Amino acid sequence: MDYFSNDRVNEGDRRDTAFQLVNALREVVSISRKLNQPISYEQTLDLVEDLNPDIYKSMTVLLDRKNESDWVKYYKELAEAQSTPENEINPVDLIEKDLKELNSIALNKGNKRFLKKRIRDYKSAIEFFQPRKISEHKILARDTYIAERKDLNLNGKIYEREEFIDYKLDSNNVLRLRLLHPDNAENIIGADLIYEHLDTKNGRIRFLHMQYKTWDNKSLNFKAGSLNAQIEKMDRNLCKAGYCNNDKGKKTISGFRLPYCCAFLRPTSKLQSSNSKMVSTGLHVPICEVKKIMETEKSLNKKNVSGKNVSYKIFDELFNARMIGSRWLTYEEHTNFYKERNLLDIDNIIRLHAQEIII
Ligand SMILES: [Zn+2]
């Protein structure tokens, strides 16, 4: 059993994490494909299905439940109440029966506004129970070839037990995606994303790390939950450890480039409903800046991050232009970085680890 279907964990928390993962995945596609338009919620879910069908199943149940109308709930309960161990009643059969009856009454009876509304409600309730269709046109096409190319000299396995899928990108580069999740976990504190550029020709890697956090669009209390500890961890392992420095060990350089911060906090809104357009605040706040805000303020809000964050629209472009993210590291530095800092421990996090392999 995976985290998303673990009913010992609060349903709202699981849904928040699921939506964080959807946001992270959407961000990965947007960075790697250099799209100006973010992909849709539905396309993102199709990609989850491709990466991990089991996770997809439990995630969509969780996300869809947000959309249950009162009629869906009513017929679910009714079917459950009428079911016996020998005979399981299907809610759709019950709705169809009532719909048929109502249709025959309401037919040709002039303007029966409320009867007609009920008919529409029944129809959309039936719709709700239909399995979600996965599009034949996936947003990313798999590449089965790259894993066999020894000449590329990739830096090998990152995680002890890892599975990945390679996708072809239009640029001829390859996107290697790993979706990491602990089984049976109850202490998940959210989703994070690691995105790396892997330059096979020169044997070097650069990265950025993002921690997603659900907020109400107004503020994130530093004291709430695990936020403080997560920020400290990123600061200790990335900023303070010198990964926000350039080759010469400096944080800022002259000329046209942003400071080398490679750790970001990503405040993410709650899922409204899966029918609504996916809205994300798109704030990317460098951890170095979050730390400064923490010194004087109790929470992070839109006001105190103003001028200190990079919006959704320009973040991808800046990272692809090498103006955001870490400096280049050798394969060896990269491997040691994760091992020495215990960052491969994913017991309490759902992680998307993406590598764009530049060929
Ligand atoms: Zn930093």
Side-chain angles (χ1 to χ4, degrees):
M1 186 179 57
D2 62 76
Y3 165 75
F4 297 112
S5 57
N6 186 346
D7 49 25
R8 282 188 304 244
V9 182
N10 174 284
E11 185 174 321
D13 291 346
R14 280 183 285 144
R15 188 175 292 117
D16 284 348
T17 305
F19 195 52
Q20 287 174 20
L21 178 60
V22 168
N23 273 282
L25 203 49
R26 198 171 70 148
E27 195 138 15
V28 163
V29 174
S30 165
I31 296 174
S32 64
R33 292 195 51 197
K34 297 158 184 71
L35 297 172
N36 294 320
Q37 284 290 318
I39 61 167
S40 71
Y41 179 76
E42 290 298 317
Q43 286 171 314
T44 316
L45 287 180
D46 288 347
L47 187 54
V48 177
E49 201 272 342
D50 202 44
L51 280 169
N52 190 317
D54 292 335
I55 294 269
Y56 167 80
K57 246 184 169 168
S58 45
M59 245 177 82
T60 44
V61 166
L62 195 59
L63 295 169
D64 284 348
R65 205 176 292 150
K66 180 91 185 161
N67 277 341
E68 284 184 3
S69 66
D70 284 349
W71 286 115
V72 167
K73 288 177 189 146
Y74 168 80
Y75 280 104
K76 266 187 171 176
E77 278 187 11
L78 191 65
E80 218 179 284
Q82 292 184 355
S83 291
T84 58
E86 299 82 39
N87 185 21
E88 200 188 314
I89 305 285
N90 184 343
V92 175
D93 293 341
L94 296 177
I95 309 173
E96 273 172 350
K97 190 170 145 266
D98 289 353
L99 177 64
K100 205 174 152 200
E101 207 179 295
L102 198 56
N103 259 330
S104 67
I105 300 168
L107 209 65
N108 304 324
K109 283 274 160 62
N111 187 19
K112 293 279 179 286
R113 198 154 61 90
F114 288 98
L115 289 187
K116 282 176 183 158
K117 181 180 179 302
R118 177 72 66 88
I119 289 174
R120 281 199 304 277
D121 288 346
Y122 282 175
K123 281 182 178 163
S124 50
I126 291 173
E127 191 73 22
F128 177 88
F129 286 102
Q130 305 312 311
R132 190 183 166 273
K133 284 194 193 68
I134 298 149
S135 167
E136 287 167 31
H137 306 284
K138 294 258 169 88
I139 192 77
L140 289 170
R142 288 190 185 216
D143 183 326
T144 48
Y145 174 63
I146 192 81
E148 285 152 29
R149 273 189 63 180
K150 303 262 184 304
D151 59 308
L152 286 176
N153 188 26
L154 303 177
N155 71 327
K157 258 181 22 173
I158 300 178
Y159 300 87
E160 201 59 44
R161 288 184 313 154
E162 72 169 24
E163 286 171 38
F164 57 77
I165 298 182
D166 289 336
Y167 294 97
K168 265 188 219 112
L169 296 170
D170 292 342
S171 55
N172 272 331
N173 292 344
V174 169
L175 179 68
R176 176 161 291 183
L177 267 184
R178 300 167 177 86
L179 174 55
L180 300 136
H181 54 91
D183 283 336
N184 284 319
E186 290 180 28
N187 55 345
I188 292 285
I189 51 175
D192 71 358
L193 164 66
I194 298 176
Y195 196 102
E196 300 178 326
H197 276 151
L198 202 155
D199 170 3
T200 53
K201 200 165 148 232
N202 298 300
R204 53 185 194 164
I205 299 189
R206 56 190 292 272
F207 56 60
L208 66 85
H209 289 227
M210 299 210 242
Q211 180 63 58
Y212 289 78
K213 215 68 209 175
T214 304
W215 75 339
D216 56 7
N217 260 325
K218 290 194 189 87
S219 70
L220 256 182
N221 189 338
F222 291 126
K223 290 260 151 57
S226 50
L227 181 59
N228 200 344
Q230 284 174 295
I231 292 170
E232 287 300 335
K233 190 177 176 191
M234 283 181 108
D235 182 54
R236 192 174 60 245
N237 288 317
L238 293 154
C239 302
K240 284 221 175 71
Y243 291 91
C244 297
N245 294 341
N246 67 9
D247 300 331
K248 299 184 178 71
K250 295 219 170 78
K251 180 140 174 59
T252 43
I253 55 165
S254 56
F256 189 59
R257 200 211 183 277
L258 295 172
Y260 274 80
C261 198
C262 55
F264 293 84
L265 184 66
R266 286 283 286 110
T268 307
S269 52
K270 277 180 184 292
L271 174 72
Q272 302 302 326
S273 91
S274 51
N275 291 328
S276 68
K277 268 198 166 178
M278 199 163 92
V279 211
S280 173
T281 50
L283 293 179
H284 299 71
V285 198
I287 293 293
C288 293
E289 293 297 331
V290 176
K291 283 287 290 180
K292 282 182 211 159
I293 297 170
M294 274 171 91
E295 283 170 18
T296 52
E297 312 246 0
K298 287 192 177 68
S299 65
L300 185 130
N301 54 56
K302 278 195 174 152
K303 228 175 178 173
N304 62 22
V305 297
S306 144
K308 290 170 181 154
N309 79 91
V310 182
S311 82
Y312 185 68
K313 277 186 191 143
I314 54 175
F315 185 84
D316 303 357
E317 218 168 318
L318 287 172
F319 178 67
N320 282 321
R322 323 276 190 259
M323 289 175 69
I324 268 181
S326 75
R327 64 179 182 277
W328 288 106
L329 306 171
T330 63
Y331 285 176
E332 203 188 341
E333 276 179 294
H334 173 262
T335 310
N336 290 340
F337 164 72
Y338 285 112
K339 292 207 169 130
E340 282 166 11
R341 298 177 181 279
N342 207 20
L343 290 175
L344 302 179
D345 165 21
I346 46 137
D347 277 351
N348 58 4
I349 205 96
I350 307 269
R351 171 168 296 164
L352 207 56
H353 195 132
Q355 283 185 317
E356 188 178 335
I357 304 166
I358 302 165
I359 296 167

